[in-house]
């Protein structure tokens, strides 16, 4: 009988040598198991349990304070005092004491004795350090299978590791410890968190490396945890943010998923274990079984005559006599040290090994430990892929915190693991970081993070509370708006009123009998439109529109008024030719969205240019007269300019054509404004008491007299001061699309300066005024997977290292700012509809509001919040909100059509 050379060992152990293809397959199977564990319906039967840990954030380096930690995972337990400081340089100081748990308590009857003993040791530790009078936060590492329901509530499922203390299984271990401490009454602590050692490992490494989001243990047992997206964790309420999942991956294969890869040696080891059929993956990997697996193989090979000349010894046949530490030493191949150690080990087992025997044994050890490292790599690759997919990245950069005797003591296990992970997931850049004291320092870290989050949460909410309006404040805004409306309508106070309440000379909304072809002109910026609008009445009532967009070159907007209006008339002529209507004399409605004073429907005196226009000779002039003069200069066609309107009135008229109850117009876009049908008797600026007239409120200026100062925050003041018109349009600056993004940016700057966001680090881009566009608010709040959306927006703003927690916060800021805008808008609108109801002496009013504007249309929650506020503040008004289509074009034509109808009826 001769000893087996290394190649025949390879042949004998062929089934333990897994190809890259095998490992990729294992990785895919494991990913499927993860999905089962995460799903609500599949979790009960899943082998990989994917337990929520309620740890929602990893360290960011700003943690500081003194924390206690308790580490209970075996017959010894430790109490630690961990001092964490963040004064520019992260440091952690640890003092600890080891205490023994007497065997009588481990197996004793009654939970009280065990927890009384732990409380006694804790008191002893606090006494020694002279800190009994301080109420310190404590993190509790409890390394037994638990069902966790909160960060500080964990129910023991079953004892393991030789513990059998009765009355603990099924109970909350934190509750038992609190009770034992209360019973003593000589000290008090705040138990913040209970964790297992895998989570502790991730958190310890997370303090040194903020990319760390995976914890791995390969020691006596094996397990892993990682930060999972809440939206994938169906066992826990809520979709936002992340939570650490304790995978309990040692049980992978307990449902038969690995049966084709398990060998007879694996089956033998399982049959002889304390828990047959359980933790099958762990039994192929961890230190508790690795030495025993080698021993079983050596016995089999010896019995088949391939080793030790076929002679076994009682020691070799005895379970547990070949330790995993032997495997590490034998594979330590420097200067044949490993072979010498192999020889010595085998002699200790009563064997007489030849040199070939030693080489063969070394090879067996290599094959067993390599398979363990590679299986570990396969499951870790699945976790890395999950994180990469969650973040929708092409390349993932991340860190794995690792602990455990096999990983740390085996000479090549770690190297083999790293190498195989890189081969299986080449699109992940993975750093492996060895953890120092995950179960002690880690528990303190979880506690430190929980404390930081709670403290920062309070600080942030105090700031955001200034942007939150309660019902009384909204009612106050409504009352102030009502008072300002009255001042704007009255002849004596009109000149000083902030809400101007301008008469529009539009005296009626459409009644459905309008008929004819109308031209409309829409000038509100550097692009302007000419439209032909065909209005048909009767059964097949409809509006057909044709339009063309023209640009106004900058030299014309900055030139003379004559040049500007000549250019407009040239465009009208081009349009009529384009439509084949050269020479037609049609009534025209002119939407002119600049501040105007009107004395009649067809006259608008420009008060001042805005939006970058500077054409000379126009301010203080009637724009209709300027247009008519230009038409006459051209001598090509004639038009009847019937009405000058602004876009808010156009919005009301467009919706009024669809719904005759529409008597209010509202715009919430770049700017904001409203109009409504007021009783003539209340309009003191216009002669006559009969009927109604539409009033253009110009409500954006509400608050310019200080009426809103109580509700203005430092963020509103900052936005106002850096605007082009400080002190003006104060209401608009709290509501409209032109300013909301800027309010959000100012809040984010404040949070960052206080260290409450982006780890206190600002990007240059975020310092740029106007960089946070209002459309970002709509995008951030519209998507269920919005955190991904937030992330890409933050990266666009130069905040490349922003975390998931940062994204949640940015979303909350957007939500608070947009909510306030919608509520203020609702309060203003409530004042308007309530005034209409009282004007008409009605118990209940039923009215429709025509609404337009990008913010209203694109923001996912704006309209719902506005409606809710309106219902709350004006319960006697039944308000329908109707979205307008093209108020400035179609609306101008409809006003012209109504004016022509009324002109006809007067004739």
């Amino acid at each position: 009988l001769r000893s087996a050379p290394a190649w025949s060992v390879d042949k004998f152990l062929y089934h333990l040598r897994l190809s890259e293809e095998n490992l990729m397959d294992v990785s895919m199977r494991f990913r499927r198991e993860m999905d089962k564990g995460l799903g609500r319906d599949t979790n009960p039967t899943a082998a990989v349990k994917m337990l929520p840990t309620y740890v929602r954030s990893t360290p960011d380096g700003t943690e500081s304070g003194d924390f206690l930690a308790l580490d209970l995972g075996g017959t010894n337990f430790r109490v630690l005092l961990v001092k964490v400081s963040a004064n520019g340089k992260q440091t952690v100081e640890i003092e600890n004491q080891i205490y023994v748990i007497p065997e009588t308590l481990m197996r004793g009857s009654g939970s009280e004795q065990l927890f009384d003993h732990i409380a006694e040791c804790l008191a002893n530790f606090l006494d020694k350090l002279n800190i009994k009078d301080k109420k310190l936060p404590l993190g509790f590492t409890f390394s037994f299978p638990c069902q966790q329901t909160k960060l500080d509530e964990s129910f023991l499922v079953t004892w393991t590791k030789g513990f059998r203390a009765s009355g603990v299984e099924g109970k909350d271990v934190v509750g038992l410890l609190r009770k034992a401490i209360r019973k003593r009454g000589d000290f008090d602590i705040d138990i913040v968190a209970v964790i297992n050692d895998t989570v502790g490992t991730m958190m310890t490494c997370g303090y040194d490396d903020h990319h760390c989001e995976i914890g791995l243990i390969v020691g006596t047992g094996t397990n892993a945890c990682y930060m999972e997206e809440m939206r994938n964790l169906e066992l826990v309420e809520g979709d936002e943010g992340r939570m650490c999942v304790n995978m309990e991956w040692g049980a992978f294969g307990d449902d038969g998923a690995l049966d084709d890869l398990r060998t007879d040696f694996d089956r033998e080891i399982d049959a002889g274990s304390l828990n047959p059929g359980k933790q099958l993956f762990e039994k192929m990997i961890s230190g508790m079984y690795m030495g025993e697996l080698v021993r079983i193989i050596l016995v089999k090979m010896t019995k088949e005559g391939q080793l030790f000349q076929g002679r076994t010894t009682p020691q070799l046949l005895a379970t547990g006599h070949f330790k995993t530490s032997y495997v590490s030493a034998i594979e330590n191949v420097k200067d044949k040290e490993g072979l010498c150690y192999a020889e010595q080990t085998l002699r200790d087992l009563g064997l007489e090994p030849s040199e070939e025997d030693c080489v063969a044994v070394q090879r067996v050890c290599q094959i067993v430990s390599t398979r363990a490292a590679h299986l570990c790599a396969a499951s870790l690759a699945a976790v890395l892929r999950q994180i990469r997919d969650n973040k929708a990245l092409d390349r993932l950069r991340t860190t794995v915190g690792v602990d455990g005797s096999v990983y740390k003591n085996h000479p090549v296990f770690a190297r083999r693991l790293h190498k195989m992970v890189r081969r299986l997931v080449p699109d992940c850049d993975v750093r492996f970081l060895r953890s120092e004291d995950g179960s002690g320092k880690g528990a303190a870290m979880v506690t430190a993070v929980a404390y930081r989050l709670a403290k920062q949460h309070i600080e942030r909410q105090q700031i955001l509370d200034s942007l939150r309006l309660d019902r009384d404040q909204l009612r106050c805004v409504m009352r102030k708006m009502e008072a300002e409306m009255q001042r704007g309508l009255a002849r004596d106070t009109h000149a000083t009123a902030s809400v101007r309440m301008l008469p529009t000379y539009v005296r009626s909304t459409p009644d459905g009998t309008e008929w004819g072809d109308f031209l409309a002109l829409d000038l509100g910026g550097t692009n302007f439109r000419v439209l032909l609008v065909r209005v048909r009445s009767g059964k097949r009532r409809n509006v057909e529109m044709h339009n063309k967009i023209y640009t106004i070159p900058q030299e014309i907007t900055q030139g003379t008024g004559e040049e500007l209006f000549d250019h407009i008339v040239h465009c009208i002529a081009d349009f009529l030719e384009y439509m084949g209507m050269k020479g037609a004399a049609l009534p025209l409605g002119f939407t002119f969205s600049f501040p105007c004073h009107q004395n009649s429907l067809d006259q608008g005196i420009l008060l001042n240019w805005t939006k970058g226009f500077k054409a000379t000779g126009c301010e203080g002039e009637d724009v209709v007269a300027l247009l008519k003069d230009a038409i006459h200069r051209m001598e090509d066609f004639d038009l009847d300019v019937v009405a000058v309107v602004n876009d808010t009135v156009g919005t009301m008229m467009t919706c009024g054509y669809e719904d005759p109850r529409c008597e209010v117009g509202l715009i919430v876009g770049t700017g904001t404004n409203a109009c409504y049908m007021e009783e003539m008797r209340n309009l003191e600026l216009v002669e006559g008491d009969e009927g109604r007239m539409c009033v253009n409120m110009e409500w954006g200026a509400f608050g310019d007299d200080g009426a809103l100062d109580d509700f203005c925050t430092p963020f509103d003041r900052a936005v106002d001061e850096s605007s082009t018109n400080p002190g003006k349009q104060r209401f608009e600056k709290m509501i409209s699309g032109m300013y909301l993004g800027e309010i959000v940016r100012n809040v984010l700057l404040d949070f960052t300066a206080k260290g409450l966001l982006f780890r206190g680090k600002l990007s240059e881009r975020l310092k740029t005024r106007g960089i946070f566009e209002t459309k970002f608010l709509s995008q951030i709040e519209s998507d269920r997977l919005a955190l991904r959306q937030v992330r890409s927006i933050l990266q666009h703003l130069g905040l490349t290292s922003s975390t998931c927690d940062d994204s949640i916060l940015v979303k909350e800021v957007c939500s608070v700012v947009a909510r306030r805008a919608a509520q203020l808008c609702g309060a203003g609108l409530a004042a308007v509809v309530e005034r209409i109801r009282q004007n008409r002496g009605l118990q209940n009013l039923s009215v429709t509001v025509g609404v337009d504007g990008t913010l209203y249309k694109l923001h996912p929650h704006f309209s719902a919040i506005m409606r809710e506020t309106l219902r709350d503040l004006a319960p006697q008004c039944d308000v329908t909100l109707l979205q307008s289509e093209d108020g400035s074009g179609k609306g101008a034509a409809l006003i012209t059509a109504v004016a022509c109808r009324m002109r006809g009826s007067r004739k």
Side-chain angles (χ1 to χ4, degrees), residues 382-665:
V383 176
L384 290 162
R385 260 192 226 100
Q386 174 84 352
I387 294 175
R388 190 199 62 202
D389 292 352
N390 282 344
K391 293 183 180 178
L393 296 173
D394 294 329
R395 259 198 112 66
L396 172 69
R397 178 187 169 200
T398 192
T399 298
V400 181
V402 202
D403 205 346
S405 51
V406 173
Y407 182 87
K408 287 184 168 175
N409 301 338
H410 191 283
V412 280
F413 185 94
R415 206 173 337 154
R416 287 178 192 147
L417 171 71
H418 304 168
K419 194 173 172 185
M420 187 49 75
V421 166
R422 290 183 181 119
R423 289 182 74 128
L424 294 174
V425 273
D427 45 10
C428 295
D429 299 320
V430 189
R431 178 184 181 213
F432 289 85
L433 185 59
R434 280 169 63 143
S435 153
E436 299 307 324
D437 191 15
S439 47
K441 183 173 156 188
M445 275 306 149
V446 173
T447 309
V449 168
Y451 249 58
R452 167 178 64 79
L453 291 177
K455 184 167 156 281
Q456 290 180 338
H457 178 74
I458 290 165
E459 218 174 315
R460 278 191 296 262
Q461 293 313 314
Q462 281 171 343
I463 296 169
L464 288 179
D465 279 346
S466 68
L467 288 154
R468 292 187 174 109
L469 299 174
D470 61 29
R471 194 173 179 214
D472 291 342
Q473 289 172 306
L474 290 167
R475 192 166 287 289
C476 176
V477 171
M478 176 184 169
R479 279 198 295 270
K480 288 186 175 196
M481 178 68 89
E482 286 171 337
E484 276 306 299
M485 287 168 74
Q486 188 51 46
R487 291 188 67 220
L489 288 167
R491 185 179 284 108
D492 300 344
T493 49
H494 172 81
T496 58
S498 64
V499 181
R500 299 303 299 277
M501 306 295 279
L502 304 171
T504 66
Y505 297 88
V506 170
R507 294 168 186 270
S508 172
T509 53
D511 69 359
T513 64
E514 292 75 18
W515 198 92
D517 291 355
F518 305 92
L519 275 180
L521 200 56
D522 176 14
L523 177 64
T526 49
N527 286 343
F528 86 105
R529 293 184 304 157
V530 185
L531 305 93
L532 171 68
V533 182
R534 295 198 155 115
V535 183
R536 299 292 176 260
S537 58
K539 269 188 186 161
R540 304 194 54 190
R541 199 168 74 104
N542 75 333
V543 176
E544 181 190 310
M545 296 200 299
H546 304 272
N547 73 78
K548 204 168 172 188
I549 295 173
Y550 297 90
T551 54
I552 305 179
Q554 194 176 357
E555 61 270 18
I556 289 180
T557 64
Q558 314 291 314
T560 67
E562 273 196 8
E563 288 168 344
L564 174 63
F565 282 91
D566 283 349
H567 177 73
I568 289 171
V569 169
H570 272 289
C571 296
I572 297 172
D574 173 80
F575 179 74
L576 289 172
E577 198 166 324
Y578 165 74
M579 292 300 297
M581 300 176 68
K582 202 172 176 198
L586 294 174
L588 178 134
F590 188 6
T591 299
F592 188 73
S593 300
F594 297 92
C596 280
H597 175 71
Q598 280 184 268
N599 290 317
S600 64
L601 183 60
D602 60 355
Q603 183 196 49
I605 291 157
L606 175 65
L607 298 176
N608 56 285
W609 282 120
T610 55
K611 308 177 197 180
F613 276 65
K614 287 205 176 75
T616 57
C618 298
E619 289 181 355
E621 297 295 326
D622 173 16
V623 293
V624 175
L626 295 174
L627 182 63
K628 281 179 173 171
D629 290 348
I631 291 171
H632 292 147
R633 277 198 296 277
M634 192 169 181
E635 295 179 350
D636 199 11
F637 57 89
D638 199 13
L639 293 173
D640 174 15
V641 183
V642 174
V644 183
V645 293
N646 90 347
D647 49 359
T648 318
V649 183
T651 296
M652 178 186 80
M653 294 300 268
T654 306
C655 293
Y657 189 72
E658 305 297 326
D659 179 348
R661 293 184 316 154
C662 182
E663 299 187 73
V664 184

Side-chain angles (χ1 to χ4, degrees), residues 536-800:
R536 299 292 176 260
S537 58
K539 269 188 186 161
R540 304 194 54 190
R541 199 168 74 104
N542 75 333
V543 176
E544 181 190 310
M545 296 200 299
H546 304 272
N547 73 78
K548 204 168 172 188
I549 295 173
Y550 297 90
T551 54
I552 305 179
Q554 194 176 357
E555 61 270 18
I556 289 180
T557 64
Q558 314 291 314
T560 67
E562 273 196 8
E563 288 168 344
L564 174 63
F565 282 91
D566 283 349
H567 177 73
I568 289 171
V569 169
H570 272 289
C571 296
I572 297 172
D574 173 80
F575 179 74
L576 289 172
E577 198 166 324
Y578 165 74
M579 292 300 297
M581 300 176 68
K582 202 172 176 198
L586 294 174
L588 178 134
F590 188 6
T591 299
F592 188 73
S593 300
F594 297 92
C596 280
H597 175 71
Q598 280 184 268
N599 290 317
S600 64
L601 183 60
D602 60 355
Q603 183 196 49
I605 291 157
L606 175 65
L607 298 176
N608 56 285
W609 282 120
T610 55
K611 308 177 197 180
F613 276 65
K614 287 205 176 75
T616 57
C618 298
E619 289 181 355
E621 297 295 326
D622 173 16
V623 293
V624 175
L626 295 174
L627 182 63
K628 281 179 173 171
D629 290 348
I631 291 171
H632 292 147
R633 277 198 296 277
M634 192 169 181
E635 295 179 350
D636 199 11
F637 57 89
D638 199 13
L639 293 173
D640 174 15
V641 183
V642 174
V644 183
V645 293
N646 90 347
D647 49 359
T648 318
V649 183
T651 296
M652 178 186 80
M653 294 300 268
T654 306
C655 293
Y657 189 72
E658 305 297 326
D659 179 348
R661 293 184 316 154
C662 182
E663 299 187 73
V664 184
L666 169 68
I667 287 191
V668 198
T670 315
T672 182
N673 192 14
C675 69
Y676 72 102
M677 297 302 288
E678 177 59 89
E679 307 299 315
M680 281 291 289
R681 66 176 184 272
N682 298 331
L683 253 164
E684 295 182 12
L685 297 173
V686 181
E687 290 300 309
D689 279 352
E690 288 300 308
R692 295 176 185 145
M693 182 182 284
C694 177
V695 168
N696 165 21
M697 296 176 68
E698 290 293 343
W699 83 0
F702 175 44
D704 289 5
D705 58 353
L708 291 174
D709 285 1
D710 292 351
F711 309 105
C712 275
T713 66
F715 312 115
D716 296 305
R717 284 187 272 279
V719 168
D720 178 51
E721 281 158 19
S722 65
S723 69
T724 50
N725 55 348
K728 299 265 184 288
Q729 300 294 96
R730 296 303 295 271
F731 192 53
E732 180 168 88
K733 284 172 186 165
M734 295 168 88
I735 290 178
S736 80
M738 193 162 179
Y739 304 100
L740 292 193
E742 194 53 15
I743 297 173
V744 168
R745 188 182 72 85
N746 277 281
V747 176
L748 301 185
L749 288 177
D750 185 57
F751 275 7
T752 311
K754 291 177 174 152
L756 302 172
L757 190 61
F758 308 135
R759 298 200 176 110
K761 294 185 183 72
L762 263 185
S763 74
E764 282 308 308
R765 293 201 69 179
L766 194 62
K767 294 179 191 169
T768 315
R769 195 173 148 254
I771 194 85
F772 199 101
E773 298 170 52
T774 296
K775 70 174 184 190
F776 293 165
L777 273 83
S778 298
Q779 290 168 1
I780 283 169
E781 287 205 68
S782 50
D783 188 359
R784 181 168 168 264
L785 308 178
L787 296 184
R788 205 178 276 178
Q789 187 81 32
V790 185
R791 196 96 182 240
S792 60
I793 288 168
L794 294 179
Q795 283 174 338
H796 162 75
L797 297 174
L799 298 154
T800 45

